[in-house]
Amino acid sequence: MTREALKYGAVNLSQGFPDFAAPDDIKRRAMEAIDADINQYAITWGSKDFRDAIARKTKWYLGLEIDPETEITVTCGSTEGMIAAMMATVDPGDEVIVFEPFYENYAPDAILSDARPRYVPLRAPDWKFDPQELRSAFNQKTKAIIVCNPNNPTGKVFTRAEMEFIAGLCKEFDALCFTDEIYEHILYPRAGAEIGHISMAQIDGMRERTVIVNSMSKTYSVTGWRVGYCIASPVITSGIRKVHDFLTVGAAAPLQAAGAYALSLPPEYYDRLQREYQERRDLLLPVLEQAGFKTFVPDGAYYIMTDISGFGFNDDVEFTRHLIREIGVACVPGSSFYSVPERGARQVRFCFCKKDETLNRSAERLSKLRPR
Ligand SMILES: Cc1ncc(COP(=O)(O)O)c(C=O)c1O
């Protein structure tokens, strides 16, 4: 969709990357690291100062004691972290449970690990799962469940009760949980709702069963740096480190040096990030509503899932093509997030990690959108 947006000059609200500048101080640290000749391979599982910073930050934010020597693997983005974790733990014939709609990589990650993805629906408008349906997806072959929290594409933030229910099943069926927590700081608290980041590793009895997959990409607005990390027990970490060594050897050394600085920033950095994303969300939501979309208000992450039933198009792909070519705004067709395209045929996703001027430009263009 990014390529389509470039081809037709559309405002790109499809792929989730910021079009605003990354923080100056973080960029400066990367430039200083290159200048100081931190230009050779770091330790394959991550430079010590970066792992120490990850451990300190995880203690501050999640209250978890992590041993940087045995429980952290630095990877090339969370993308590598997730597949390295799966390849390290999942065997041929295993099943991996994936909530649907899903972030596009999870099913291919499972398939590349010779496992079978098994889908459990999150249903609009509040994207809850049916506890019985989830329970019946677990069986003797279940090796793991993937929980993306806060969730892309839905914006769902799992409640403590939901996390505890999933944890109970993992313990009962001796399964692991891979948690994708890259939007952990992008949350939209609201009165009367329990919106706060909960990591599965914080739930009783889950620390040893959880692989936290995280990254600098979203929290520090550096999606192109490709620096992420996995946090897991020493036994699992030992497997992840081996897979990681053969997949990529290591993440960029000077960017890990900048990461050590970024992950040591004070709480005010994260407060500001959250405030600014709330403003962007609150700018785009009414624009989409006025243009005729039914929106599902996100509690976290930086996407808005919408229902396009009111526009009279055959499906999400036809609609997206029209939006890019005739209106000049790019989004992602809902079917990209489902195992069966028809399930997403009435949905499209917009991202709002963009400058106000970009969002305002999309508003002008979307005001010309009419039902068929
Ligand atoms: C849920 C989720 N996980 C992982 C990624 C990829 O992250 P990274 O840049 O850390 O590889 C994205 C990117 O959009 C995402 O939305």
Side-chain angles (χ1 to χ4, degrees):
M1 287 307 127
T2 293
R3 285 196 299 274
E4 283 286 292
L6 285 172
K7 191 159 142 199
Y8 292 97
V11 178
N12 188 5
L13 303 187
S14 62
Q15 201 181 359
F17 61 86
D19 70 346
F20 46 82
D24 280 335
D25 49 344
I26 300 179
K27 289 191 291 193
R28 202 172 327 110
R29 292 296 167 133
M31 293 185 266
E32 285 168 5
I34 291 175
D35 210 31
D37 232 337
I38 304 181
N39 292 314
Q40 310 308 329
Y41 299 125
I43 298 171
T44 175
W45 52 79
S47 67
K48 178 158 169 54
D49 55 347
F50 187 38
R51 279 182 288 116
D52 287 347
I54 294 167
R56 278 196 308 273
K57 175 173 177 286
T58 308
K59 169 80 180 144
W60 160 66
Y61 194 54
L62 302 180
L64 298 172
E65 270 324 323
I66 307 293
D67 181 352
E69 295 311 319
T70 58
E71 297 187 300
I72 294 173
T73 312
V74 175
T75 55
C76 295
S78 65
T79 300
E80 193 220 342
M82 184 61 81
I83 191 147
M86 277 202 217
M87 287 187 152
T89 54
V90 172
D91 293 317
D94 286 348
E95 291 184 0
V96 175
I97 297 175
V98 177
F99 286 113
E100 185 178 49
F102 46 74
Y103 172 61
E104 295 101 311
N105 286 21
Y106 302 147
D109 286 347
I111 292 163
L112 287 167
S113 310
D114 281 336
R116 195 167 81 88
R118 196 169 171 128
Y119 304 101
V120 173
L122 296 174
R123 290 198 176 83
D126 49 13
W127 308 105
K128 286 202 165 80
F129 59 84
D130 174 340
Q132 276 325 309
E133 215 167 352
L134 181 60
R135 161 168 274 286
S136 60
F138 275 81
N139 62 69
Q140 266 58 47
K141 290 190 188 154
T142 308
K143 177 53 78 67
I145 178 167
I146 299 177
V147 177
C148 178
N149 185 39
N151 189 263
N152 172 13
T154 65
K156 174 186 175 67
V157 175
F158 286 74
T159 64
R160 181 164 292 278
E162 288 175 322
M163 297 291 274
E164 283 175 352
F165 185 80
I166 298 167
L169 291 172
C170 288
K171 287 182 261 184
E172 185 180 333
F173 288 87
D174 193 18
L176 301 172
C177 182
F178 304 121
T179 62
D180 183 333
E181 304 189 18
I182 70 168
Y183 298 104
E184 63 180 345
H185 291 288
I186 304 179
L187 297 162
Y188 312 108
R190 57 185 160 86
E194 174 208 330
I195 312 288
H197 181 62
I198 302 169
S199 171
M200 187 57 89
Q202 294 170 305
I203 306 283
D204 241 15
M206 288 304 289
R207 172 82 165 72
E208 301 299 306
R209 292 187 178 280
T210 302
V211 180
I212 297 177
V213 180
N214 210 328
S215 153
M216 291 186 69
S217 288
K218 312 292 176 173
T219 304
Y220 307 100
S221 307
V222 288
T223 59
W225 281 19
R226 316 307 306 129
V227 179
Y229 53 92
C230 291
I231 298 176
S233 70
V235 175
I236 297 177
T237 295
S238 158
I240 294 173
R241 286 179 174 183
K242 291 185 183 82
V243 175
H244 159 73
D245 193 3
F246 293 117
L247 285 178
T248 61
V249 177
L255 304 184
Q256 293 188 51
Y261 167 81
L263 270 76
S264 306
L265 286 168
E268 296 77 57
Y269 173 82
Y270 304 97
D271 294 343
R272 184 170 165 198
L273 183 84
Q274 181 162 333
R275 219 172 35 246
E276 289 177 349
Y277 271 118
Q278 177 121 23
E279 286 165 11
R280 293 183 190 109
R281 181 195 73 159
D282 294 345
L283 196 167
L284 188 61
L285 267 171
V287 166
L288 294 173
E289 288 279 348
Q290 276 153 28
F293 294 89
K294 178 180 175 345
T295 61
F296 302 109
V297 179
D299 288 328
Y302 50 46
Y303 306 95
I304 301 174
M305 266 296 240
T306 65
D307 186 311
I308 55 167
S309 302
F311 293 109
F313 284 75
N314 285 329
D315 63 27
D316 57 323
V317 175
E318 187 186 57
F319 176 83
T320 302
R321 202 167 282 141
H322 173 79
L323 203 68
I324 293 176
R325 295 180 185 184
E326 309 303 327
I327 305 296
V329 176
C331 58
V332 177
S335 52
S336 323
F337 308 110
Y338 289 87
S339 55
V340 178
E342 293 73 50
R343 291 183 191 152
R346 311 253 52 88
Q347 295 170 353
V348 300
R349 188 202 74 179
F350 292 87
C351 72
F352 54 86
C353 45
K354 302 293 169 187
K355 293 177 197 154
D356 282 4
E357 66 187 75
T358 308
L359 296 174
N360 286 328
R361 204 144 33 91
S362 76
E364 269 167 41
R365 294 181 177 195
L366 286 168
S367 68
K368 304 195 176 76
L369 178 62
R370 299 282 175 272
R372 263 236 156 124

